[in-house]
Amino acid sequence: MEKITLVLAADNNYAQHLAVACASILKNTLHPEKIYFYVLNDDISSENQDLIMQTVHDLKGEVQFISVDDKKVHGFTSGHISKAAYLRLTIDQVLPETVTKVIYFDTDLVVLDDVEKLWNFSLEGKPLGAVCDFGIMKSKRMRRQKFETLGLPEGDPYFNSGVLIMDLQQWRQKRYGSLVIGTVTQHAFRHHDQDGLNKVFMNNWKKIPLRWNVIPPVFTMPLKVLCHASLRVKALEAMKNLAVFHWAGRYKPWEFSLNGPFNKLYYDYLKWTTFNNQPMPQPSEDMKGKSITRQNFRIRWAFFWKMILG
């Protein structure tokens, strides 16, 4: 039986959220026994490792933890971005040589469709598959910034690094991981390792359908997307058939009590984990006293336009 090899990375602060992502994957696949998780471990406590392992095993998957020497990678961090975000750049180095293909997932997302469909997506010879980042694509200012810092032509696509299909044979042959690490350690990029990946893989990646990484600039349907014909059509199509709901950005679902469409999916899958009895919500210091009322309104706005235009 072919294994579907998935990689996630976390420090101890994100152990619970990693378990939620794993639970969503296993609950939505027809063959959970095919799912094999590698967890890139940045000092996750033994207790939390056990809770993650129990969650995965209860839902019929398999998991292995790999501790990554933090000397392997370091880069500019800011805000909610920790060094754990850079661990994905070591995948080609730390996974067994027998693993030639993986799907990488961030831990601030849930998967709502069978991951085997994504596993079977063809890269057509490219070393990387990723989803376009509408947060960058909708903004003339950000496209200009990517041209100035990365050399990315303003008309070219830019991808989000939260969901990646990786051909590890090519990554190892071309030493892509080391190339990206070298790039991010030399620059204080605004979007951290995501910028480094976009620079190294410029014009050398395969577009994955938008539904496989739906981030806030898609699921909130802002005016800059709504008024841009091409982006609007793609966003509406993705919203009709969501496969990955990704809380990219500063607002995270676990920092607020269950309240509306913004964080309902997180709480739905938290119930399937061994972290279900943890105190909730879990706000960071800078998010205490803040509200997700605006985020809920924006999602309802998006669903209104989906009904009108869909």
Side-chain angles (χ1 to χ4, degrees), residues 118-277:
L118 185 59
W119 182 255
N120 292 330
F121 182 81
S122 174
L123 295 181
E124 299 179 351
K126 300 292 187 183
L128 185 72
V131 174
C132 287
D133 190 314
F134 274 29
I136 304 299
M137 301 296 291
K138 70 180 176 62
S139 169
K140 290 182 180 179
R141 179 180 63 84
M142 289 308 305
R143 291 202 306 269
R144 190 180 316 115
Q145 194 265 344
K146 297 311 172 195
F147 172 71
E148 292 169 354
T149 58
L150 306 180
L152 181 71
E154 291 189 34
D156 284 8
Y158 175 99
F159 61 82
N160 183 277
S161 61
V163 178
L164 302 170
I165 307 174
M166 302 167 65
D167 178 342
L168 292 190
Q169 287 183 311
Q170 291 196 58
W171 275 63
R172 290 174 181 129
Q173 289 168 1
K174 303 291 180 63
R175 298 181 56 82
Y176 283 127
S178 296
L179 285 172
V180 181
I181 289 169
T183 300
V184 300
T185 54
Q186 293 169 26
H187 301 89
F189 286 133
R190 180 186 177 98
H191 289 99
H192 308 90
D193 61 312
Q194 179 171 282
D195 276 352
L197 285 159
N198 272 274
K199 184 171 181 62
V200 168
F201 289 98
M202 196 179 302
N203 301 314
N204 192 27
W205 59 282
K206 175 70 177 176
K207 288 184 186 177
I208 299 171
L210 184 64
R211 64 186 294 262
W212 286 102
N213 190 1
V214 174
I215 62 175
V218 179
F219 66 68
T220 62
M221 199 75 72
L223 284 173
K224 284 186 177 180
V225 171
L226 194 62
C227 296
H228 188 298
S230 175
L231 298 183
R232 180 180 68 246
V233 169
K234 292 174 183 175
L236 287 169
E237 183 179 336
M239 289 288 288
K240 286 179 193 174
N241 195 15
L242 275 166
V244 172
F245 194 96
H246 182 190
W247 292 276
R250 183 60 197 88
Y251 278 76
K252 302 301 184 188
W254 55 82
E255 297 188 299
F256 306 91
S257 298
L258 174 58
N259 178 16
F262 179 77
N263 64 358
K264 181 180 184 299
L265 287 169
Y266 181 87
Y267 279 87
D268 285 347
Y269 289 104
L270 177 62
K271 295 174 185 176
W272 292 98
T273 77
T274 50
F275 291 86
N276 190 36
N277 294 322

Side-chain angles (χ1 to χ4, degrees), residues 6-19 21-22 25 37-44 52 63-68 73 82-91 94-95 103-109 161-162 193 254:
L6 310 180
V7 180
L8 298 93
D11 58 20
N12 200 50
N13 293 324
Y14 268 63
Q16 173 181 307
H17 319 317
L18 184 148
C22 291
I25 291 166
F37 294 103
Y38 285 99
V39 173
L40 305 186
N41 173 16
D42 180 18
D43 293 327
I44 300 175
I52 292 168
V63 61
Q64 178 179 337
F65 291 85
I66 297 179
S67 294
V68 179
V73 59
S82 72
K83 69 184 177 70
Y86 290 92
L87 296 184
R88 77 192 97 189
L89 305 181
T90 69
I91 289 173
V94 301
L95 262 62
I103 303 175
Y104 167 84
F105 287 108
D106 273 354
T107 53
D108 56 349
L109 54 75
S161 61
D193 61 312
W254 55 82

